[in-house]
Amino acid sequence: MRIKKLPDSLINKIAAGEVVERPASVLKELVENSLDAQADRIEIRIEKGGKRLIEVKDNGTGIHPDDILKAVNRYTTSKISCIEDIYSIESYGFRGEALSSISSVSVFSIISRQADFPLGKELIIEGGSFKHLSDTGAPVGTAVRVRNLFFNLPARERFLKSEKTELKHIIDFFLRYAIYHNEIYFRLNVDGKDMYILNPSEREERIKDLFPKAEQILKFSAEDRTGKVYGYILPDIRSGKGYIYINGRPVKNSILSKIIRSKTGEGFYMLFLELPPYLVDFNVHPAKIDVRFRKEKPVYELIKKAVEDSEKPGIYFSLSQQKKKYNREFKILGQIENTFLVVYYDGEVYFIDQHVASERINYELLMKKYKTQGISSIKIPKQKIKLSATQIESLGNVKELLVRAGFEFYIEDGNMHITGIPQNAENRDIKGVINRIINSDYPETEIETFIGELACDISIEAGDILSDEEVKNLLKVWLETDNPNLCPHGRPIYYKIPVENIKKKVGRR
Ligand code: ADP
Ligand code: MG
């Protein structure tokens, strides 16, 4: 074949592959445009997992009537004009690709009016071909309707998942934005039913509106020369998910999530990072989800610090004033199924998972030792690990940490000879652990994970029968731990029922 220039319609379809992966990515682009247009009311309608309809209506600035055609052209944007702008960009969009891509792979309509004009414009594009443009009466703002996504790309359409799955992705994106933009009214209507109606509120209130089942919100924050970080953990929303925002942009970054996961376990987390724009490069990916830092280490350190010093949540035992009337002495009611300790305290009945509570205690004990005099070692028959030159170098950096974690070793002829291991680690795959630590980008986190595993091994198990004395001791030590709410893997340690609820259930005032 000879070389030829591709027609724009084809270029748009190819580009659409990058920007528009699925209905949720359309929603993301449209909501971002509304936010960029300073809207404070955003209404979304979804039909059939977004395959049939994705509609986003806002009350933002609208588009100038003479610009409406430009909005759907490729590389047309009102948001930047020179390359320097992208280093300090505050808007979500700037590549001018979204509307052109979306309108080339759907039946697309946009109605927009600016406040200075009595009428707005309506534009319809089908699969990238112009269909219709006219004046129209419309409220100030913009409404975009995307119907039949990928109708002209059957191969892409077939790649979409079930409506249910696509809807899940949509809700995921919706939540990301709704959490961050608590000052904005959002409405999400799915197949004719309102799923969320969110009035403007404080961030914490918004989180409670979105997760009514969460009983606890744990907060953390830190600030240093690099920037500011704060966030929330919902330990009982055990979705294994978390959202990271950098300067208001939802992003993904596997190292950041690993650092925070090592503290939150399965609980749902939200992490908000504020960094000077020059430190962050959002332009890595067309959908701007991935992010790169110009200096990584200080950012990681900042986050580690925040989650480490996170607000000691207390156990909510002593929080509320009005509960004073209740007896604040522990009353041990018993053990059920040799697994849960049942305890009354301050107006509430607690069901405490004995294994998890014990694991929390052991983890903190071991971590304390690790951070101070070191975890005790036991001798083992010598084990040899062959190391590459780079591995020897990495080992140099974590040598001291390994020693404090209870490992004894020396290096000879490019080999690591292990002569001692942490007490109680006899059943662990020691070579595997060491390799994991040396090869990790974040060895310290890896060591802490290992310490968590050790804590788990030596803890009281579900099924162990405990005497009253043992229960009392366990509870006492557990309450003194830094985080009595979560096990090192992030499992909640207890479930509690307020006596008030019991009263309500049986109709006692
Ligand atoms: P980008 O957001 O990268 O600029 P888009 O293709 O998403 O590119 O949008 C192109 C242009 O259309 C935007 O720069 C903006 O000027 C205009 N636009 C799109 N959506 C809206 C909206 N909801 N309100 C006001 N203007 C909009
Ligand atoms: Mg955009």
Side-chain angles (χ1 to χ4, degrees):
M1 265 208 300
R2 301 289 302 276
I3 299 174
K4 57 181 176 291
K5 171 140 180 35
L6 296 176
D8 275 355
S9 58
L10 183 53
I11 294 177
N12 279 342
K13 275 191 200 161
I14 295 170
E18 277 186 77
V19 180
V20 190
E21 189 194 344
R22 55 176 9 139
S25 30
V26 172
L27 181 74
K28 168 181 183 293
E29 295 295 337
L30 300 184
V31 168
E32 289 188 346
N33 281 347
S34 298
L35 293 166
D36 284 348
Q38 316 297 327
D40 64 8
R41 280 182 76 87
I42 299 180
E43 297 184 54
I44 301 163
R45 270 203 312 143
I46 301 294
E47 285 174 16
K48 294 203 176 289
K51 293 181 188 184
R52 188 157 82 188
L53 173 75
I54 305 156
E55 179 188 88
V56 176
K57 235 193 262 183
D58 68 50
N59 67 346
T61 55
I63 300 174
H64 190 285
D66 298 340
D67 279 355
I68 192 117
L69 272 170
K70 284 189 205 146
V72 298
N73 280 343
R74 196 160 147 76
Y75 304 133
T76 45
T77 179
S78 55
K79 300 170 191 173
I80 58 167
S81 39
C82 64
I83 189 68
E84 280 71 31
D85 289 351
I86 78 163
Y87 297 115
S88 55
I89 187 90
E90 297 219 331
S91 65
Y92 284 108
F94 59 81
R95 300 169 66 112
E97 286 180 313
L99 295 190
S100 71
S101 299
I102 294 167
S103 61
S104 73
V105 294
S106 67
V107 177
F108 175 95
S109 83
I110 180 166
I111 297 178
S112 193
R113 175 163 85 86
Q114 290 194 326
D116 293 346
F117 296 87
L119 287 177
K121 288 276 185 199
E122 174 171 24
L123 169 66
I124 300 177
I125 309 261
E126 268 185 43
S129 314
F130 173 86
K131 283 282 151 192
H132 172 87
L133 174 67
S134 63
D135 287 337
T136 180
V140 171
T142 304
V144 176
R145 241 174 247 147
V146 176
R147 288 186 194 278
N148 304 341
L149 186 66
F150 297 140
F151 80 97
N152 55 345
L153 288 180
R156 290 297 301 273
E157 196 180 8
R158 274 197 299 275
F159 262 101
L160 293 179
K161 297 277 178 337
S162 68
E163 284 171 22
K164 214 171 121 201
T165 304
E166 294 301 338
L167 183 62
K168 248 200 227 152
H169 287 280
I170 285 178
I171 293 171
D172 189 66
F173 266 109
F174 175 81
L175 291 176
R176 277 174 209 270
Y177 287 87
I179 289 169
Y180 191 79
H181 290 282
N182 51 288
E183 78 287 2
I184 287 178
Y185 167 96
F186 277 103
R187 174 170 168 198
L188 175 63
N189 182 291
V190 175
D191 295 323
K193 277 199 217 100
D194 283 328
M195 184 175 266
Y196 291 103
I197 294 185
L198 302 168
N199 286 308
S201 61
E202 296 294 317
R203 171 85 37 82
E204 255 178 83
E205 287 305 310
R206 173 65 51 99
I207 293 171
K208 283 182 198 153
D209 288 346
L210 288 169
F211 301 96
K213 289 202 181 119
E215 286 192 19
Q216 303 170 13
I217 298 190
L218 313 183
K219 290 189 259 182
F220 57 87
S221 63
E223 193 173 354
D224 66 13
R225 275 182 310 160
T226 311
K228 206 165 127 181
V229 58
Y230 62 98
Y232 306 90
I233 301 166
L234 306 180
D236 32 31
I237 305 295
R238 293 180 48 207
S239 58
K241 275 204 201 168
Y243 296 155
I244 301 174
Y245 304 82
I246 299 182
N247 299 349
R249 239 180 239 283
V251 297
K252 290 195 172 150
N253 181 301
S254 55
I255 300 181
L256 293 194
S257 35
K258 208 163 166 204
I259 296 174
I260 179 161
R261 267 278 162 252
S262 69
K263 297 286 177 255
T264 63
E266 292 281 286
F268 176 71
Y269 71 81
M270 290 148 273
L271 176 84
F272 303 88
L273 249 173
E274 286 170 23
L275 297 171
Y278 67 84
L279 262 185
V280 197
D281 185 0
F282 290 111
N283 201 12
V284 194
H285 187 273
K288 297 178 292 286
I289 279 269
D290 267 326
V291 66
R292 226 170 24 203
F293 302 107
R294 286 187 221 290
K295 276 195 208 135
E296 298 180 325
K297 193 120 197 271
V299 178
Y300 301 155
E301 292 304 324
L302 175 65
I303 293 170
K304 278 198 104 176
K305 182 161 162 257
V307 276
E308 228 136 61
D309 306 345
S310 72
E311 167 188 272
K312 281 188 195 145
I315 183 146
Y316 290 78
F317 276 173
S318 50
L319 270 189
S320 98
Q321 295 297 324
Q322 81 266 19
K323 280 209 218 122
K324 283 248 160 63
K325 56 185 186 224
Y326 290 108
N327 187 348
R328 301 182 60 154
E329 284 282 298
F330 261 114
K331 189 165 170 194
I332 296 169
L333 305 176
Q335 187 193 29
I336 49 176
E337 310 227 326
N338 299 333
T339 300
F340 297 102
L341 310 177
V342 189
V343 172
Y344 169 85
Y345 179 84
D346 200 22
E348 291 176 308
V349 181
Y350 286 78
F351 299 84
I352 300 161
D353 185 317
Q354 63 190 40
H355 168 69
V356 192
S358 155
E359 196 177 353
R360 166 53 62 188
I361 295 168
N362 288 322
Y363 177 70
E364 291 196 5
L365 276 177
L366 285 175
M367 278 304 285
K368 241 169 234 158
K369 279 198 190 161
Y370 166 65
K371 290 192 167 159
T372 52
Q373 83 269 29
I375 295 172
S376 338
S377 315
I378 46 165
K379 295 270 174 241
I380 51 158
K382 199 154 58 177
Q383 291 192 30
K384 188 167 92 177
I385 305 180
K386 175 124 196 65
L387 297 179
S388 68
T390 28
Q391 283 175 323
I392 291 188
E393 198 185 317
S394 323
L395 179 59
N397 298 331
V398 290
K399 209 166 151 185
E400 195 209 312
L401 301 180
L402 284 173
V403 171
R404 270 198 281 126
F407 292 97
E408 288 173 1
F409 54 89
Y410 62 93
I411 297 159
E412 201 178 79
D413 302 332
N415 291 314
M416 176 177 183
H417 302 269
I418 305 164
T419 56
I421 59 171
Q423 219 167 31
N424 301 304
E426 297 90 329
N427 296 328
R428 291 269 153 199
D429 164 20
I430 294 303
K431 285 187 183 176
V433 171
I434 297 267
N435 269 315
R436 223 164 63 200
I437 295 170
I438 298 178
N439 297 333
S440 168
D441 286 337
Y442 236 79
E444 287 171 48
T445 308
E446 218 45 85
I447 294 179
E448 286 173 23
T449 306
F450 169 66
I451 293 175
E453 290 164 3
L454 277 188
C456 181
D457 289 353
I458 57 176
S459 296
I460 294 170
E461 292 190 27
D464 290 351
I465 300 170
L466 304 181
S467 70
D468 278 2
E469 207 47 40
E470 284 169 316
V471 172
K472 228 188 250 163
N473 283 335
L474 180 69
L475 289 175
K476 197 167 145 267
V477 189
W478 165 59
L479 274 178
E480 282 162 10
T481 57
D482 288 338
N483 187 350
N485 292 306
L486 294 175
C487 87
H489 308 116
R491 265 172 67 189
I493 293 177
Y494 61 86
Y495 170 72
K496 66 176 180 190
I497 305 176
V499 174
E500 288 298 332
N501 289 6
I502 300 175
K503 284 186 185 165
K504 263 189 229 144
K505 287 279 179 207
V506 299
R508 176 181 289 280
R509 302 256 131 228

